[in-house]
């Protein structure tokens, strides 16, 4: 009888230890789950930021916008307003489905605009805008993005028609790139 | 299970938890600054400087029909610089936000850069310093240099709260200013 009681005590002890052990494991799992949730969110933020920078760099060096000099190397951090006007007037990035897909491959869901500050401040010119949208059951189109990450970059805007004959005018402005998440 | 065995299991659990905790802390403390962030800030500093220097002054802002670039205005400022700006500069220009009065090119340049950087970097919550100084000759020492926008004896700056700590720079943008010497310019940007 004594032996039997001792065995019971030992088993209870073991069960107790294992119970505590598994409780600690459970706390560890809950803690790790919460940490992973935050880490995933941070990682998504990082990727969104990286995408914003990639899109900005692509816009800055896009041949359709950059200040070119014939066969010479184009001017960096510079956009040609003649090209910008042509793109906005002809809706160049959305001319047809093929063009839309081509520029979507480059810029994805984002909004690209430029703003001139000096010599004359002018309203924002939107070059590309592809918003993430979804259609509801009743046919209404609504935005389908949770947030957008803006990136700003100061640039020179070249205008060959604004200065006096033979002179080119360079304006001070900035590029705005917003990516949708 | 013997008492000793139970205690050993307890110790093992404690060691595992401490190790996991230390790994967790190490992950945060050893995180490096994103290389992309450095690249963007450096790129922004460089593009800000090149945009400022390339910009053409607005039509009618300067006396005469010629429209200089900001680089030319800065060189003019260096050539006709004096502590009290008593010597008239070649370009007499007015910046739109200032009083309707054409002024020394140093004043115009400082007004323009302060306003433009304030509307861009300042409004994007970035701190910055714009520095420009003249080196009169190749053999000049640091004491012989003249800053253009600050108190005598200090490197003068146009700034938004300054960048005393971690920062990225546009790189020196040297400009020959004729007899005045060599103009060196740089922009620091920090978060």
């Amino acid at each position: 009888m004594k032996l039997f009681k001792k065995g019971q005590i030992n088993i209870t002890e073991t069960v107790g230890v294992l119970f505590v052990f598994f409780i600690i494991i459970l706390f560890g799992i809950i803690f790790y789950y919460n940490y992973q949730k935050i880490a995933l969110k941070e990682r998504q933020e990082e990727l969104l930021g990286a995408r914003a920078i990639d899109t900005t760099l692509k816009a800055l060096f896009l041949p359709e916008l950059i200040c070119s000099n014939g066969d010479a190397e184009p001017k960096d951090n510079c956009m040609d307003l003649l090209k910008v006007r042509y793109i906005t007037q002809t809706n160049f990035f959305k001319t047809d489905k093929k063009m839309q897909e081509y520029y979507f491959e480059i810029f994805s869901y984002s909004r690209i605009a430029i703003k001139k500050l000096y010599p004359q401040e002018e309203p924002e010119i939107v070059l590309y805008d592809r918003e993430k949208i979804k259609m509801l059951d009743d046919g209404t189109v609504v935005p389908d993005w949770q947030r957008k990450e803006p990136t700003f970059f100061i640039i020179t805007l070249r205008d060959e028609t604004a200065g006096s004959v033979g002179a080119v005018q360079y304006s001070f402005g900035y590029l705005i790139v917003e990516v949708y998440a | 299970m013997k008492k000793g065995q139970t205690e050993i299991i307890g110790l093992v659990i404690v060691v595992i938890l401490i190790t996991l905790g230390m790994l967790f802390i190490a992950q945060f403390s050893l995180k490096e600054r994103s290389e992309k962030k450095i690249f963007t800030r450096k790129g922004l500093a460089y593009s800000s400087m090149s945009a400022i220097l390339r910009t053409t002054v607005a039509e009618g802002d300067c006396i005469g029909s010629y429209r200089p670039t900001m680089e030319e205005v800065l060189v003019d400022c260096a050539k006709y610089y004096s502590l009290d700006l008593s010597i008239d500069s070649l370009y007499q220009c007015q910046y739109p936000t200032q009083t309707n009065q054409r002024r020394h090119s140093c004043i115009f340049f400082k007004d323009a850069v302060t306003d433009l950087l304030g509307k861009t970097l300042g409004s994007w919550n970035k701190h910055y310093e714009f520095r420009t100084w003249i080196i009169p000759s190749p053999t000049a020492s640091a004491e012989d240099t003249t800053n253009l926008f600050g108190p005598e004896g200090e490197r003068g700056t146009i700034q938004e709260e300054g960048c005393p700590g971690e920062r990225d720079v546009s790189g020196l943008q040297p400009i020959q200013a004729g007899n005045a010497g060599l103009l060196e310019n740089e922009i620091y940007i920090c978060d």
Side-chain angles (χ1 to χ4, degrees), chain A residues 21 35 76 118 154 169-170, chain B residues 13 24 27 47 56 67:
Chain A
F21 178 74
Y35 162 71
D76 52 358
Y118 181 80
I154 294 176
Q169 176 178 291
Y170 288 96
Chain B
I13 291 167
F24 182 72
Q27 195 177 19
S47 74
T56 317
R67 293 173 61 193

Side-chain angles (χ1 to χ4, degrees), chain A residues 79-137:
Chain A
M79 284 194 181
D80 193 328
L81 282 175
L82 282 178
K83 293 183 183 178
V84 165
R85 284 185 200 119
Y86 178 78
I87 282 166
T88 47
Q89 283 163 11
T90 59
N91 223 357
F92 183 75
F93 293 147
K94 290 183 186 174
T95 315
D96 53 31
K97 202 172 165 112
K98 204 173 164 188
M99 292 291 257
Q100 285 182 36
E101 279 171 12
Y102 175 76
Y103 286 104
F104 180 73
E105 292 276 310
I106 298 172
F107 297 126
S108 188
Y109 292 110
S110 61
R111 180 178 178 275
I112 301 170
I114 57 169
K115 177 137 172 89
K116 187 172 137 190
L117 283 180
Y118 181 80
Q120 292 88 25
E121 188 165 344
E122 288 179 6
E124 219 173 74
I125 302 172
V126 178
L127 299 167
Y128 175 90
D129 190 1
R130 183 80 176 257
E131 196 184 358
K132 233 181 182 180
I133 50 173
K134 66 177 176 189
M135 196 179 286
L136 300 174
D137 294 335

Side-chain angles (χ1 to χ4, degrees), chain B residues 128-182:
Chain B
Y128 58 87
E129 284 181 32
F130 180 99
R131 297 167 172 231
T132 184
W133 60 96
I134 308 167
I135 301 171
S137 71
T139 52
S141 64
E143 288 78 30
D144 297 330
T145 61
T146 309
N147 69 75
L148 293 182
F149 302 120
E152 191 66 31
E154 279 182 29
R155 285 274 169 90
T157 63
I158 297 169
Q159 64 184 33
E160 174 73 30
E161 295 193 27
C163 286
E166 187 202 307
R167 60 192 185 180
D168 289 301
V169 68
S170 61
L172 282 174
Q173 308 260 328
I175 305 168
Q176 268 301 332
N179 294 335
L182 182 73

Side-chain angles (χ1 to χ4, degrees), chain A residues 31-32 35-36 38-40 42-43 46, chain B residues 19-33:
Chain A
F31 175 74
Y32 183 71
Y35 162 71
Q36 280 290 80
I38 295 165
L40 187 69
E42 262 184 34
R43 182 80 185 128
E46 248 182 60
Chain B
T19 310
L20 284 172
M22 283 173 68
L23 280 170
F24 182 72
I25 291 163
Q27 195 177 19
F28 283 109
S29 61
L30 295 173
K31 217 173 186 178
E32 281 175 358
R33 199 165 65 133

Side-chain angles (χ1 to χ4, degrees), chain B residues 92-156:
Chain B
Q92 295 284 314
C93 308
Q94 74 178 63
Y95 190 69
T97 58
Q98 303 308 314
T99 56
N100 195 18
Q101 183 192 359
R102 293 199 171 82
R103 311 178 75 178
H104 195 284
S105 47
C106 290
I107 299 175
F108 170 79
F109 187 88
K110 187 176 181 180
D111 290 344
V113 170
T114 306
D115 184 56
L116 292 173
L117 292 184
K119 281 178 178 169
T120 48
L121 301 176
S123 69
W124 305 335
N125 296 319
K126 294 213 184 291
H127 300 157
Y128 58 87
E129 284 181 32
F130 180 99
R131 297 167 172 231
T132 184
W133 60 96
I134 308 167
I135 301 171
S137 71
T139 52
S141 64
E143 288 78 30
D144 297 330
T145 61
T146 309
N147 69 75
L148 293 182
F149 302 120
E152 191 66 31
E154 279 182 29
R155 285 274 169 90

